[in-house]
Amino acid sequence: MEAKKIPEYFGTMVFNDKVMKERLPKEAYDAVRQAIDKGTQLPLSYAKIVASVMKDWAIEKGATHFTHWFQPMTGITAEKHDSFIEPFGDGEVIMKFSEKSLVKGESDASSFPSGGLRATFEARGYTAWDPTSYAFVKDGSLYIPTAFCAYSGEALDKKTPLLRSMEAFNKQALRILRLFGNTAAKKVTPTVGAEQEYFLIDKSVYEKRMDLVHCGRTLFGARPSKGQELEDHYYGAIKSRISAYMKELDEELWKLGVYAKTKHNEVAPSQHELAPVFTSTNTASDHNQLTMQLMKSVANRHGLVCLLHEKPFASVSGSGKHNNWSISTDTGENLLDPGATPNENAQFLLFLVAVIKAVDEYQDLLRISVASAGNDHRLGATEAPPAIISIYLGEELDGVLRAIEKDETYVGKEKTELKIGVSVLPTIPKDSTDRNRTSPFAFTGNKFEFRMVGSSTNIACPNFIINTIVAEELSQFADRLEKAEDFNLELHELIKETIKNHNRILFSGNNYSKEWEKEAKRRGLLNLKSTVDALVRYTDEKNVKLFEKHRVLSGSEIRSRMEILLENYSNIVHIETLTAVDMARKEITPSIVKYQTFLLNEYKLKKECGLPCSLEEKLIKNLAELSEKFAEILDKTIKDEKAYDSSWNNLKKAKYAKNTLLKDLGELRKYADEMELLTGKEFISIPTYEDILYSVKY
Ligand code: ADP
Ligand code: MG
């Protein structure tokens, strides 16, 4: 693809605003625009026109089918393809796509997780068109982004709460803007740019690893002799195979209108990153799903496999997804950008402290938003923030807030004095705000970077939660300020008070250190180490109240989500246990036994010849002791797995998975890995870390 052609083919497979403007009659176009901008229902008469135009366009792009594309609670997207054909006359067909097929799809929801929301006799669910995320053509099908609900209207997916949270956010943010005299903005949208980390390995090694195939991560594997110690992979020169892959991936994404922007090597060997230009949280979330899918399918075409698990390999860095979150108005303003006038700065500070208060009051929800079996292996390891949430603001802004809190005059580096609503904030240099890479929630100049998100997480979750908790604080602020007699005075008080009440969440030090864990405990911050500890708090009264108030989730929807996530957690750990047992029996045991037999024969031969044989003797003894332990733990694991009862309730299963099965897995691995380090290479039947992490050689 020629570089100069990129603007021409960017978004060519997307039924976007430009296409709609060109092809739809003006009235229909205006109606769609209104549905997108104001969230109004598109009248069926217009939907009919849109469907017909969309179908013709899709057929030109090679589509024979259409599918409603949705995001059930399984964590991956779902699609069911119907062709456009409709019988006509005698044995002929026409291509048809009705307004009903565009707007609403019936779906058998019985095989998707509902967490008890849907009684078995109500197996039907439906999908509803989301016009705010553009339809597109991929692999010969027209994809229509949709929300997925039970027949009762309750959400069964990840998109619905995100859309609802954006609406709630818009409403509350507009109230604040009006208080500052802004009447021009009609819409406020939370925005996101999600930096996606991933591993690429050669398909041949992948296929030989049962654990990678079934679980997406290795359950065994001793450290390679070279890991990431030399720090020579991060931003290193990109190998030609990887570069060809990245090029094709970019092109595929661009055609689908995804703003793929940055690509580079990451810290671990075989690890890479792709970052897009930010967009609205809804589009960004759909685009991130597409990106993850294309990462996998393009890899396949290059003889590679893309691993999106949070921790595919022990002892090297795992993968995350930095969630850069900010707030845009339709008039082009970033509300988290410190402004140039006193009024803008006061407004900036208000939004800033709203985020601070939200993060402090809903630490549990933020932790829940990134909770998964995979991410538990990453959080708190030395490559990712711990399970403790805190905010890093940067030196300058920290200074500003401390001064406000103490009613002192802030004198910054530029010797500017600061008083809210009166003076101008010192310019906050962008680079000085991002020095702390260990912070889970860092202010980076004009956005917050939430760094706890796992690489495979659907970003709809963290974002619907961030949108909702910040909307709640804005609504409290608006309630108070709308009643104020002296706006500036009340504003000053409010900001000051908020800083005072929530400064415990601010932390500038090293989040990876042991001291921080202690200090955080002293401050009363939560440290929810595992998914199970976090999830049980989902239904706490304050959380249910929050989601119900902003109509983002009902009490029963939250309970269902908690059930689904708990069950998902225990299912994953259970599958890992079964896989580990199989590997221990079928791969590890045979290779250990073979090597030990070999050593014993050598030893006997040498002994017979009267030769010294302490090397063999030591090894034999060592391996014999380790394999005894290994056998013991394998027996225990098998017994514990048998005791796992799938008819237990989800919490019991999840607790058992965490407290018993995961511990067994860890122990089993410990001895297997120790033995691996002592075993001759030719006796090991599966690819080692060395083989996998350096499988792409040129
Ligand atoms: P860095 O690489 O230092 O983390 P960048 O400025 O390159 O920072 O941004 C990283 C990510 O943040 C990109 O995906 C980018 O699009 C996103 N981003 C930048 N500005 C915003 C914003 N206003 N809202 C949301 N995301 C943003
Ligand atoms: Mg970043």
Side-chain angles (χ1 to χ4, degrees):
M1 199 79 64
E2 271 180 75
K4 65 174 184 215
K5 297 239 170 84
I6 295 171
E8 275 167 49
Y9 76 80
F10 184 87
T12 42
M13 301 308 261
V14 186
F15 194 72
N16 56 21
D17 188 70
K18 185 164 159 255
V19 178
M20 287 194 274
K21 207 174 210 163
E22 271 169 21
R23 299 197 173 211
L24 290 173
K26 172 135 189 357
E27 274 172 39
Y29 171 77
D30 289 344
V32 176
R33 244 349 316 160
Q34 187 152 357
I36 295 173
D37 296 335
K38 302 220 173 87
T40 52
Q41 194 89 34
L42 184 69
L44 270 188
S45 56
Y46 289 126
K48 191 173 175 150
I49 303 171
V50 176
S52 156
V53 170
M54 203 188 254
K55 176 205 69 187
D56 291 341
W57 170 85
I59 289 172
E60 279 169 37
K61 298 287 173 193
T64 52
H65 289 67
F66 69 92
T67 178
H68 277 199
W69 185 57
F70 56 106
Q71 301 172 25
M73 296 299 294
T74 50
I76 49 173
T77 58
E79 47 195 75
K80 178 183 129 228
H81 303 257
D82 278 307
S83 72
F84 290 123
I85 67 161
E86 191 160 293
F88 177 75
D90 190 9
E92 286 175 51
V93 293
I94 51 164
M95 299 296 258
K96 199 158 181 252
F97 183 49
S98 70
E99 66 277 22
K100 284 201 195 93
S101 305
L102 167 65
V103 173
K104 196 165 170 175
E106 290 250 349
S107 166
D108 180 1
S110 58
S111 294
F112 292 107
S114 84
L117 263 187
R118 188 205 52 237
T120 34
F121 59 88
E122 291 171 332
R124 283 183 312 166
Y126 68 89
T127 47
W129 179 34
D130 164 23
T132 62
S133 179
Y134 297 131
F136 55 91
V137 168
K138 183 169 93 74
D139 303 325
S141 276
L142 169 66
Y143 281 72
I144 301 152
T146 55
F148 178 46
C149 299
Y151 232 77
S152 51
E154 283 157 313
L156 292 176
D157 69 344
K158 312 222 174 191
K159 186 191 262 282
T160 305
L162 180 64
L163 290 173
R164 293 176 184 161
S165 74
M166 288 170 77
E167 217 177 296
F169 188 87
N170 174 51
K171 190 169 150 197
Q172 303 306 334
L174 279 176
R175 286 175 72 194
I176 300 286
L177 291 189
R178 299 294 179 255
L179 282 165
F180 281 91
N182 179 337
T183 50
K186 298 276 178 289
K187 195 172 180 185
V188 182
T189 310
T191 54
V192 157
E195 305 165 55
Q196 177 73 49
E197 291 181 339
Y198 61 100
F199 279 86
L200 276 182
I201 60 173
D202 193 272
K203 206 192 276 183
S204 64
V205 287
Y206 171 83
E207 281 166 349
K208 291 189 194 113
R209 292 285 308 216
M210 210 191 294
D211 45 5
L212 284 177
V213 173
H214 291 329
C215 315
R217 75 171 178 113
T218 52
L219 301 170
F220 299 100
R223 50 133 191 92
S225 37
K226 177 176 183 286
Q228 60 198 48
E229 303 80 6
L230 298 179
E231 296 175 343
D232 53 353
H233 196 254
Y234 191 55
Y235 281 21
I238 298 170
K239 289 173 180 154
S240 64
R241 251 182 106 185
I242 303 297
S243 170
Y245 163 85
M246 287 175 165
K247 183 167 182 289
E248 191 177 328
L249 178 62
D250 277 340
E251 287 172 2
E252 294 280 319
L253 289 170
W254 289 336
K255 274 192 250 169
L256 292 172
V258 178
Y259 303 107
K261 176 86 174 164
T262 312
K263 52 189 182 185
H264 60 80
N265 284 349
E266 258 301 327
V267 173
S270 288
Q271 195 184 29
H272 316 280
E273 183 182 294
L274 182 148
V277 178
F278 70 95
T279 174
S280 84
T281 45
N282 182 36
T283 301
S285 155
D286 284 358
H287 281 181
N288 183 247
Q289 288 296 314
L290 269 179
T291 303
M292 291 196 285
Q293 277 170 19
L294 282 167
M295 280 180 163
K296 285 182 177 276
S297 58
V298 173
N300 190 37
R301 297 205 282 271
H302 288 251
L304 298 164
V305 173
C306 171
L307 303 175
L308 290 172
H309 192 284
E310 282 77 12
K311 192 77 179 174
F313 307 101
S315 80
V316 297
S317 278
S319 300
K321 181 145 58 190
H322 292 172
N323 190 87
N324 296 273
W325 184 90
S326 193
I327 314 167
S328 284
T329 66
D330 57 346
T331 48
E333 206 183 334
N334 176 347
L335 298 178
L336 288 179
D337 208 344
T341 66
N343 191 48
E344 280 169 2
N345 274 314
Q347 183 184 297
F348 160 73
L349 284 173
L350 189 66
F351 278 98
L352 184 80
V353 297
V355 177
I356 293 173
K357 181 165 185 280
V359 172
D360 186 30
E361 289 180 344
Y362 297 100
Q363 299 162 44
D364 50 352
L365 286 180
L366 285 169
R367 173 66 183 93
I368 287 167
S369 81
V370 299
S372 71
N375 212 18
D376 279 1
H377 296 290
R378 182 178 155 262
L379 297 177
T382 49
E383 82 238 24
I388 307 162
I389 314 261
S390 70
I391 294 182
Y392 174 75
L393 289 178
E395 212 181 304
E396 198 99 13
L397 209 46
D398 231 21
V400 171
L401 294 199
R402 305 272 172 214
I404 296 171
E405 184 188 347
K406 296 196 181 95
D407 258 337
E408 288 165 358
T409 307
Y410 176 75
V411 185
K413 287 197 179 115
E414 293 174 15
K415 306 276 180 244
T416 32
E417 289 192 4
L418 177 87
K419 229 172 143 213
I420 299 163
V422 183
S423 50
V424 180
L425 259 187
T427 343
I428 293 160
K430 191 172 182 283
D431 56 354
S432 81
T433 56
D434 194 22
R435 281 203 201 111
N436 192 334
R437 303 295 292 177
T438 68
S439 175
F441 212 96
F443 184 71
T444 53
N446 58 6
K447 61 187 192 289
F448 276 98
E449 184 165 339
F450 185 29
R451 299 198 177 111
M452 286 168 91
V453 184
S455 49
S456 69
T457 304
N458 182 327
I459 59 166
C461 296
N463 288 297
F464 94 70
I465 285 183
I466 299 174
N467 295 347
T468 311
I469 61 179
V470 180
E472 167 58 21
E473 309 306 352
L474 295 176
S475 109
Q476 289 180 21
F477 288 0
D479 286 348
R480 182 161 157 189
L481 293 171
E482 280 164 1
K483 282 194 238 113
E485 276 171 23
D486 182 333
F487 176 74
N488 272 339
L489 203 68
E490 190 68 12
L491 178 68
H492 191 111
E493 270 311 302
L494 177 60
I495 292 176
K496 191 175 132 186
E497 216 179 278
T498 310
I499 300 166
K500 200 172 254 166
N501 292 339
H502 300 283
N503 60 17
R504 65 169 186 170
I505 201 76
L506 304 178
F507 179 63
S508 309
N510 180 6
N511 284 260
Y512 296 174
S513 70
K514 279 272 157 253
E515 293 76 56
W516 169 232
E517 233 179 281
K518 279 189 224 133
E519 166 67 12
K521 193 169 174 194
R522 202 189 54 74
R523 293 190 191 184
L525 299 179
L526 288 176
N527 185 2
L528 303 171
K529 288 199 172 143
S530 89
T531 290
V532 187
D533 303 328
L535 284 177
V536 292
R537 290 171 180 259
Y538 215 160
T539 49
D540 282 1
E541 200 186 329
K542 79 174 210 315
N543 297 336
V544 174
K545 240 165 107 181
L546 166 84
F547 289 121
E548 291 201 323
K549 173 176 168 189
H550 297 280
R551 298 173 194 278
V552 171
L553 288 173
S554 68
S556 56
E557 285 171 329
I558 300 168
R559 271 187 297 282
S560 90
R561 253 148 237 267
M562 183 184 73
E563 292 294 335
I564 291 167
L565 293 169
L566 282 170
E567 182 166 32
N568 186 259
Y569 174 88
S570 62
N571 279 342
I572 286 172
V573 177
H574 185 222
I575 292 169
E576 287 180 348
T577 311
L578 288 173
T579 307
V581 167
D582 276 356
M583 283 179 79
R585 281 170 162 165
K586 293 175 186 164
E587 314 268 19
I588 295 165
T589 305
S591 70
I592 301 297
V593 170
K594 232 197 264 172
Y595 189 49
Q596 284 179 323
T597 313
F598 167 80
L599 287 173
L600 277 169
N601 285 334
E602 293 296 300
Y603 174 80
K604 266 196 280 181
L605 268 176
K606 276 192 177 173
K607 261 253 140 110
E608 273 168 27
C609 303
L611 295 165
C613 44
S614 58
L615 180 68
E616 290 83 355
E617 195 177 340
K618 266 191 207 146
L619 256 176
I620 290 165
K621 204 159 157 267
N622 228 334
L623 279 171
E625 275 164 16
L626 288 169
S627 42
E628 275 303 293
K629 284 272 188 202
F630 181 71
E632 214 175 278
I633 289 157
L634 181 57
D635 278 347
K636 177 175 176 331
T637 310
I638 292 167
K639 211 173 97 241
D640 288 342
E641 188 283 317
K642 284 218 171 83
Y644 174 88
D645 184 344
S646 56
S647 69
W648 288 341
N649 71 41
N650 291 326
L651 181 59
K652 186 165 179 192
K653 278 193 285 190
K655 280 189 172 164
Y656 185 82
K658 171 187 158 237
N659 297 329
T660 307
L661 299 181
L662 255 189
K663 291 221 167 87
D664 288 345
L665 281 175
E667 284 287 291
L668 202 57
R669 165 174 206 147
K670 192 170 93 192
Y671 292 104
D673 291 1
E674 259 187 76
M675 290 193 291
E676 187 196 313
L677 285 174
L678 300 176
T679 304
K681 174 94 183 136
E682 62 182 288
F683 294 86
I684 299 174
S685 62
I686 53 175
T688 61
Y689 268 24
E690 201 90 32
D691 302 328
I692 304 170
L693 287 167
Y694 300 97
S695 58
V696 177
K697 298 205 164 39
Y698 54 86

